[in-house]
Amino acid sequence: MEEASAQQQSSAFPAPPFYFQRLSKLPFPVLALEPPPPVQSGKYWQFGRPFDTQETLATLEQQGCQQLYPKGPIDRVKELKKLNHSAIFNFLELVHTLTTTPGEHYKRVDEIRMIFINMHHILNEYRPHQARETLRLMMQNQLQTKKQETEALKRTCADLRSKLSALRALKEQRQRSLATINSSTVAPGDSDVEMTSSPDHQTQDSKASLVGASSSGYPGAENHIDANSRRTMDRLMTMVDSIE
Amino acid sequence: MDRLTQLQDAIDKLALLFVSSLDHLSKNAPLVALNPDVPVVTTEHGMPKEILQASAQELALDISRQAKELETLIENLPPITQTPEEQTLDLELLAQENDRATEEYEAAVLEAKKLLQEVTQALREIAMDQSNT
């Protein structure tokens, strides 16, 4: 400890917190080194002031003020109106006492003060209810947006799937027509390999080979295949646009 | 703005009106002779009686107007329909529903991503083959 204080006097840096003393004896008391657990219930003290773990609005008696409205469940609107009227009435009486016996004004002033404190207290009792209501409304909104989004996503997915399957059916059709064309014409060797290997590929590859076959020069079927591939391309582009 | 805050502000305004009206009247009142033998010497203190009475009238009107406003605000307060326990129950149910909706939403997003991958794959292969030929 003397080292620490000497260091503080000679250097500009503060000493380390004195927890280092706990590490000075071996074996290290590990459990004692754990930070204290957070307070679960009741009162706790922080920086010299008391705090509650459960925040509740203190009643008027606890705050040291007289409660002017009756205890228990009350009609808030009626009580507030009554307090409003008595505030004005007391102000009138205050003005009267100021004109007659100014020395006695403090009684009226205290009355008015009590009335205002009561009014504010009634309003403060609304606040927790309002907070929970707001939370409930926010959660309902969130739920609704989520459901809407899920619906929209599902609809677009179903749309796309139907379009994809339609395209695949179209492709199968083209494949079959190409196969018949292939068997009816005498084609050069390598294009034969190209066409016979295509049914083994994935459906996307066969789509691609469709397009490839159009430019490899099949005489009679060329224009027919070209138009179909162009339509396929158009449909696929619109599909991708609708996803994005 | 929030109704409770409006109410609280209106109450505070009423109190302020009380204070400011009394202040105004006591500061600007002209001098009066306490003893008939000692007459009032200066007339330069405060405002003449008529003007002061007119301002007192105005202040009274302001106060009564503010009190009326307060009453209308009080009438427009929404009632408390649920006890705190009912409210917490509602909140718990809503939280559970929210969790379920989030799960469904995430599943839908996953499916959409997969579909997007398939379609982009298809387009890519077509484009590749078209560029090849």
Side-chain angles (χ1 to χ4, degrees):
Chain A
M1 263 312 246
E2 293 94 49
E3 281 182 12
S5 50
Q7 266 180 346
Q8 225 161 5
Q9 285 165 4
S10 57
S11 78
F13 300 105
F18 59 85
Y19 292 111
F20 74 84
Q21 284 179 327
R22 289 208 203 164
L23 300 167
S24 57
K25 57 178 167 125
L26 289 163
F28 291 149
V30 183
L31 281 175
L33 291 175
E34 295 278 313
V39 181
Q40 297 294 348
S41 61
K43 243 182 190 183
Y44 62 93
W45 294 81
Q46 194 182 43
F47 297 130
R49 299 175 82 192
F51 284 88
D52 275 314
T53 39
Q54 194 88 338
E55 289 277 348
T56 47
L57 180 68
T59 67
L60 277 176
E61 280 80 20
Q62 285 173 353
Q63 285 173 354
C65 297
Q66 184 197 13
Q67 182 165 332
L68 294 169
Y69 55 92
K71 286 203 214 298
I74 49 164
D75 183 8
R76 293 219 153 82
V77 172
K78 218 172 54 170
E79 297 297 326
L80 274 173
K81 279 196 197 169
K82 274 201 276 187
L83 283 171
N84 186 23
H85 284 285
S86 30
I88 301 284
F89 183 64
N90 273 288
F91 179 66
L92 189 64
E93 294 203 343
L94 173 67
V95 175
H96 277 306
T97 48
L98 281 174
T99 51
T100 52
T101 51
E104 313 244 314
H105 69 280
Y106 60 89
K107 266 188 270 179
R108 289 284 139 231
V109 169
D110 271 339
E111 267 284 327
I112 294 183
R113 181 171 161 270
M114 208 56 56
I115 288 172
F116 278 130
I117 290 179
N118 270 278
M119 283 175 99
H120 277 291
H121 188 82
I122 293 182
L123 290 182
N124 287 340
E125 285 181 353
Y126 262 110
R127 287 293 186 188
H129 183 266
Q130 188 194 27
R132 280 188 282 261
E133 255 325 292
T134 329
L135 185 62
R136 195 171 70 95
L137 284 170
M138 274 175 67
M139 285 177 84
Q140 271 179 339
N141 276 345
Q142 275 185 354
L143 195 66
Q144 216 174 1
T145 12
K146 265 189 217 165
K147 284 198 170 144
Q148 277 174 350
E149 292 286 308
T150 337
E151 272 306 297
L153 272 174
K154 280 194 174 149
R155 246 181 285 139
T156 348
C157 280
D159 229 0
L160 284 171
R161 267 201 211 98
S162 62
K163 284 198 182 124
L164 251 184
S165 55
L167 278 164
R168 284 206 184 105
L170 187 72
K171 195 174 38 219
E172 297 289 315
Q173 225 182 6
R174 292 299 135 233
Q175 239 183 319
R176 266 182 256 123
S177 64
L178 273 171
T180 54
I181 291 167
N182 189 21
S183 59
S184 59
T185 58
V186 179
D190 33 358
S191 348
D192 244 340
V193 174
E194 201 184 296
M195 276 322 293
T196 45
S197 60
S198 66
D200 301 340
H201 284 185
Q202 289 276 342
T203 45
Q204 283 87 354
D205 289 330
S206 52
K207 247 189 268 181
S209 58
L210 235 186
V211 181
S214 71
S215 28
S216 67
Y218 272 75
E222 196 182 69
N223 296 334
H224 186 52
I225 294 171
D226 226 346
N228 272 320
S229 64
R230 213 172 297 130
R231 234 180 293 148
T232 320
M233 282 293 282
D234 285 338
R235 282 203 200 176
L236 276 171
M237 292 310 282
T238 48
M239 255 172 47
V240 174
D241 284 340
S242 63
I243 292 181
E244 289 162 4
Chain B
M1 202 172 62
D2 167 39
R3 268 180 273 199
L4 277 177
T5 322
Q6 267 181 333
L7 249 177
Q8 286 176 324
D9 282 344
I11 294 176
D12 290 339
K13 209 167 154 193
L14 185 67
L16 191 68
L17 274 174
F18 285 174
V19 168
S20 61
S21 57
L22 286 175
D23 210 25
H24 177 92
L25 286 173
S26 65
K27 277 207 178 117
N28 301 100
L31 298 174
V32 162
L34 285 172
N35 191 331
D37 295 332
V38 182
V40 172
V41 184
T42 54
T43 45
E44 289 171 9
H45 185 264
M47 305 198 293
K49 210 171 168 189
E50 299 81 23
I51 301 184
L52 199 65
Q53 276 186 331
S55 57
Q57 199 63 350
E58 259 184 61
L59 288 164
L61 267 172
D62 276 339
I63 290 180
S64 45
R65 204 181 301 138
Q66 183 63 27
K68 208 83 195 75
E69 224 182 272
L70 198 59
E71 210 176 300
T72 21
L73 278 173
I74 291 173
E75 272 175 30
N76 290 337
L77 267 182
I80 293 190
T81 49
Q82 289 176 312
T83 63
E85 293 84 21
E86 281 179 32
Q87 275 188 321
T88 29
L89 201 70
D90 262 346
L91 286 174
E92 275 181 27
L93 287 170
L94 268 176
Q96 283 173 357
E97 270 199 57
N98 233 335
D99 285 336
R100 258 179 278 144
T102 325
E103 277 174 35
E104 283 183 23
Y105 178 67
E106 284 182 357
V109 167
L110 216 66
E111 275 198 51
K113 279 189 182 165
K114 266 190 269 174
L115 206 59
L116 182 65
Q117 267 184 350
E118 281 182 28
V119 171
T120 40
Q121 180 84 356
L123 273 177
R124 204 179 297 146
E125 305 232 355
I126 288 180
M128 252 175 18
D129 277 305
Q130 257 210 333
S131 64
N132 283 343
T133 55

